[in-house]
Structures are given as C-alpha cells and as structure tokens.
Amino acid sequence: MSATRVSTGIPGLDSILHGGFIKGTNILVLGGTGTGKTIFCTQYLYNGATIYNEPGVFVTFEERPKELRLEAKQFNWDLRALEEKNKLVIIDAASSKASIPSDEAYAIHRDLDMNILAQEIYRATRKVDAQRVAIDSLSAIGIKFEDSTAIRTSIYKLSTLLRELNVTSVMTSEMPYESGQTSRFGVEEYVAQGVIMLYLREEDGELRRSLVAQKLRASSHSLRRYPFEVSSRGITVMPGGGL
Ligand SMILES: Nc1ncnc2c1ncn2[C@@H]1O[C@H](COP(=O)(O)OP(=O)(O)O)[C@@H](O)[C@H]1O
Ligand SMILES: [Mg+2]
C-alpha cells in the first residue's frame, strides 16, 4: 500500500514529490535569506486550508504575525480571515525574541523554552484540529543555545512532537552555502524525513531560483534541480525542470 500524500499547495511541486509530502512526516526546507522559505510555509498553510480544508499552525520566529499577515496580502492570501474561521493559528515566537510585548492569542512570552513552545503548538493544533504545521525557522531557535547538544536535543524534541501530533510539518532553516554543512546545526536533516533545498544563484548575469528535493537515504544521483519563480501568486515550480 502506498503512503497517503499531502498536497504541498505549490504548483508544480507535487509531481516532483510523487504526489506531495508523505502524510505525517516532517520536511525540512533549507535555503539562504530571500530564497522563499517564508513564502513556502505561508503558501503550504494557506492553500492547505483554503483548497484542501486542512487547518494549519504557523510558528513564526523571524517575522511578527502582523508582518506575516501583511506580506501574505501581496499574494492575496488573507491570513486573518483564515484565523477567524479557525483554519489557521499563528504562534508568535518572534516578538519575545525581539523583546517586544505580544498581543497575540498564541505567543511565547518569555525567553524561548522548548517545553512552552511544545505546549503552545499542542494547544494551537488542538484548537483548529490542524493537519499542517510550519516552523519558520529553526535557525532562530539556535540563537538561544550555546552548545550544539542542546540545539540537537531541542530540534529532536520538536520533530518528535510534530510526529506525535500526526501533522504533516515543514521546518525551515538557513543553509550556509560556504561551508560543507548542508544545514545550520548539521542535524536538522537527520530528524526530518525529507529535505527541500531552495537556491537563489546568479547564472548568466541573472538571479535564478531553483529547488532540489531530496528524499532521505535516497541515492544522490537521483537528485534533480528544478527552476521556480516567485510571482504575485506565490511560488510556482516550472514544469519540465530537472536540469
Ligand atoms: N510579489 C512578489 N513577486 C516576486 N517576488 C517576490 C514577491 N514577494 C516577495 N518576493 C521575493 O521573495 C523573496 C522573499 O521570500 P521569503 O520567503 O521571505 O525568503 P526567506 O524566508 O527565505 O528569507 C525575496 O527574494 C523577494 O524578492
Ligand atoms: Mg523568512
């Protein structure tokens, strides 16, 4: 029996992934700044709720919820309307990081504590019966920890919680291009069941976007690079890619 697939809500991506993400798994989206990680998360949750009637939870560490709602508007994604219909919860983990008080219903009010974060995710997931969760980004969690063992433990805990909640989740992380590491802590890709890498590179004097989807433990020679674009409709992966 083949695994149930969850549509990514990103045109062109499902077919690359043989129908979408495997239901209940935890996918890591890696990329540098400006590669489209936040848009990816927002589109996954917005289209998930509006097209597939799968409510979602967005844990935002980088942008405050009001910034996220504003940015989503340029793609005609009305996050507020989804929140009012109990199709989306945004957990504000960004304000406390910036030492700004949060007036959001779901927020981490003090210094980031993994147990409190886990409780908020649990509460939010139960509230809307979420099928999808996005965490943007894990890199932000690293700021609070000095030693890499604590970071690994935290990421592992988070990933285990997400699987226990039986949601299909996306976690983002910055990817340093310069070093040999493929992710910031060198651990995220081991706790995730799939990795999508987003690239923004100069080719022939033009900035081009592309993505590589990597199934864990799959042979590396099966990896292909697909061009994608960001437009007023969000991310669209080009058909016939695979350069
Ligand atoms: N309406 C739009 N049309 C085209 N490109 C856009 C639009 N809105 C944002 N972008 C592009 O999306 C990128 C930002 O995406 P984002 O998801 O915030 O990146 P990340 O989270 O990886 O830093 C920027 O490079 C910006 O140029
Ligand atoms: Mg971002």
Side-chain angles (χ1 to χ4, degrees):
M1 208 177 83
S2 61
T4 307
R5 298 282 174 162
V6 170
S7 173
T8 60
I10 293 169
L13 184 56
D14 289 352
S15 60
I16 294 169
L17 301 173
H18 310 289
F21 298 139
I22 296 172
K23 192 173 164 60
T25 59
N26 177 224
I27 292 91
L28 186 66
V29 175
L30 297 176
T33 305
T35 51
K37 300 183 299 298
T38 302
I39 298 170
F40 190 107
C41 290
T42 313
Q43 190 167 350
Y44 171 61
L45 295 183
Y46 183 84
N47 285 344
T50 56
I51 303 173
Y52 304 101
N53 197 29
E54 295 188 353
V57 171
F58 197 133
V59 185
T60 178
F61 282 98
E62 312 254 296
E63 276 140 281
R64 301 176 68 208
K66 57 178 67 158
E67 293 162 353
L68 210 58
R69 294 182 190 108
L70 196 64
E71 276 161 34
K73 274 196 182 149
Q74 61 168 325
F75 304 108
N76 267 317
W77 301 332
D78 188 347
L79 301 188
R80 184 64 93 183
L82 284 184
E83 293 174 82
E84 282 164 3
K85 283 188 266 184
N86 276 335
K87 296 286 181 198
L88 175 72
V89 171
I90 302 176
I91 300 178
D92 181 5
S95 296
S96 75
K97 210 180 92 192
S99 303
I100 304 169
S102 176
D103 51 13
E104 298 289 329
Y106 291 80
I108 308 298
H109 291 290
R110 278 154 288 153
D111 275 358
L112 179 65
D113 173 317
M114 282 321 264
N115 293 321
I116 293 174
L117 177 63
Q119 276 170 29
E120 284 298 89
I121 294 174
Y122 186 85
R123 195 163 74 91
T125 305
R126 285 284 169 272
K127 157 98 172 164
V128 297
D129 191 20
Q131 319 271 309
R132 300 174 177 227
V133 171
I135 297 182
D136 186 38
S137 75
L138 293 180
S139 310
I141 299 177
I143 294 168
K144 293 282 175 194
F145 298 96
E146 292 297 302
D147 77 293
S148 58
T149 312
I151 296 166
R152 276 162 218 246
T153 308
S154 302
I155 292 172
Y156 185 76
K157 251 192 190 176
L158 202 53
S159 155
T160 306
L161 170 76
L162 293 169
R163 264 179 283 164
E164 271 171 18
L165 289 171
N166 206 23
V167 293
T168 310
S169 56
V170 169
M171 310 191 291
T172 69
S173 186
E174 294 274 323
M175 176 171 55
Y177 291 113
E178 311 306 328
S179 80
Q181 269 186 312
T182 55
S183 63
R184 181 162 169 158
F185 311 116
V187 64
E188 299 97 317
E189 65 267 43
Y190 299 108
V191 299
Q193 284 115 49
V195 181
I196 292 176
M197 282 168 278
L198 306 181
Y199 295 93
L200 181 60
R201 301 199 303 195
E202 199 180 305
E203 281 166 33
D204 309 324
E206 262 183 75
L207 278 175
R208 291 181 198 273
R209 300 182 187 277
S210 61
L211 67 80
V212 173
Q214 183 179 10
K215 240 198 292 180
L216 287 186
R217 291 174 210 97
S219 53
S220 57
H221 62 254
S222 66
L223 298 185
R224 290 173 139 209
R225 186 180 294 275
Y226 296 85
F228 74 89
E229 62 171 25
V230 180
S231 70
S232 57
R233 283 169 303 169
I235 295 172
T236 305
V237 182
M238 312 301 189
L243 306 177

